Amino acid sequence: WGGTDCDDQDAAVTSCSLAQIGLTEIGTLPNGGFAQASAITDEDNGRLVIYGGHRYHTLSEDLQSYDFIDGSWQQLDPGGVLVGARMGHSAIWDPDNASMLVFGGQEHGALSNELLALDLSVPGSEIWSLLLPKADAPDPRTNAAMVWDPNSQRILLVGGRGYHGPLADVWSLEIDVGGSASWTQISTSGIDATRTGATAVYNAAHD
């Protein structure tokens, strides 16, 4: 979901995004769609949840869901802290806390290193909270890759783009049940991992 449309001419997202993967849409697509939004699958409630992004250089704070069962879109109205509009943030599904975790992104000219959690446990009663890690967080950035490591019950964050260009650092985030967060920078070796806008998946066979 997201990116350019089928003819690759602008940042609008059209129904082809769903048709190409065999889904049927019912209702209205969220404001024509946004680029550089984040999206996760809410595995407990069978839906796609999408937050933020931009359309024609206008940032969005919209929170939308797409129901995999009935194919409908819904505009969500979460409670909790005000998170504002942003783009280029990273997001992941936290299965232990039934939440969407959001890191970083760009907010009207400034980069962020905030860590946000959206409680998705009760559809229709979503709640945003700001997590305050016990240790120093990664530098502000956009377009970092983030992945869930089920073997170690942690989240891994790689690279992105900071104020001075692409980054290569790797971080581990551990969140206890209840939302207590802790960042740890990981020392790595091997090839240069400097990159931005990368996509990551977890290889369970090789940890």
Side-chain angles (χ1 to χ4, degrees):
W1 192 90
T4 56
D5 64 13
C6 288
D7 61 15
D8 202 29
Q9 295 299 309
D10 57 49
V13 178
T14 63
S15 58
C16 65
S17 302
L18 296 175
Q20 287 170 348
I21 56 175
L23 299 179
T24 300
E25 61 184 69
I26 300 174
T28 304
L29 281 167
N31 299 322
F34 295 92
Q36 295 198 58
S38 63
I40 60 98
T41 298
D42 175 359
E43 298 176 0
D44 290 352
N45 297 298
R47 57 182 176 167
L48 182 74
V49 178
I50 302 166
Y51 162 55
H54 76 93
R55 187 166 189 253
Y56 303 115
H57 308 294
T58 299
L59 293 184
S60 171
E61 59 184 9
D62 280 2
L63 184 66
Q64 313 278 347
S65 68
Y66 178 81
D67 191 297
F68 292 129
I69 302 302
D70 63 20
S72 62
W73 286 103
Q74 181 179 2
Q75 175 86 35
L76 304 181
D77 184 20
V81 301
L82 298 177
V83 298
R86 70 186 66 207
M87 69 177 190
H89 45 290
S90 305
I92 198 167
W93 164 251
D94 176 5
D96 291 341
N97 295 289
S99 63
M100 176 184 189
L101 297 179
V102 174
F103 174 78
Q106 179 177 333
E107 306 171 287
H108 297 293
L111 302 184
S112 171
N113 64 350
E114 285 183 333
L115 180 62
L116 303 166
L118 177 65
D119 186 340
L120 296 169
S121 58
V122 181
S125 298
E126 295 80 9
I127 300 174
W128 280 114
S129 60
L130 176 65
L131 302 183
L132 301 175
K134 299 175 183 176
D136 291 339
D139 290 338
R141 68 192 64 200
T142 63
N143 298 305
M146 197 156 66
V147 68
W148 170 251
D149 174 0
N151 286 351
S152 299
Q153 297 292 294
R154 63 180 180 173
I155 292 163
L156 298 175
L157 180 82
V158 182
R161 179 177 293 277
Y163 283 112
H164 303 292
L167 300 165
D169 49 347
V170 179
W171 292 78
S172 167
L173 174 66
E174 297 183 3
I175 298 181
D176 300 331
V177 174
S180 179
S182 178
W183 283 108
T184 302
Q185 187 167 6
I186 298 175
S187 178
T188 61
S189 61
I191 64 171
D192 181 7
T194 301
R195 63 199 62 216
T196 181
T199 302
V201 294
Y202 179 74
N203 185 338
H206 296 88
D207 195 22

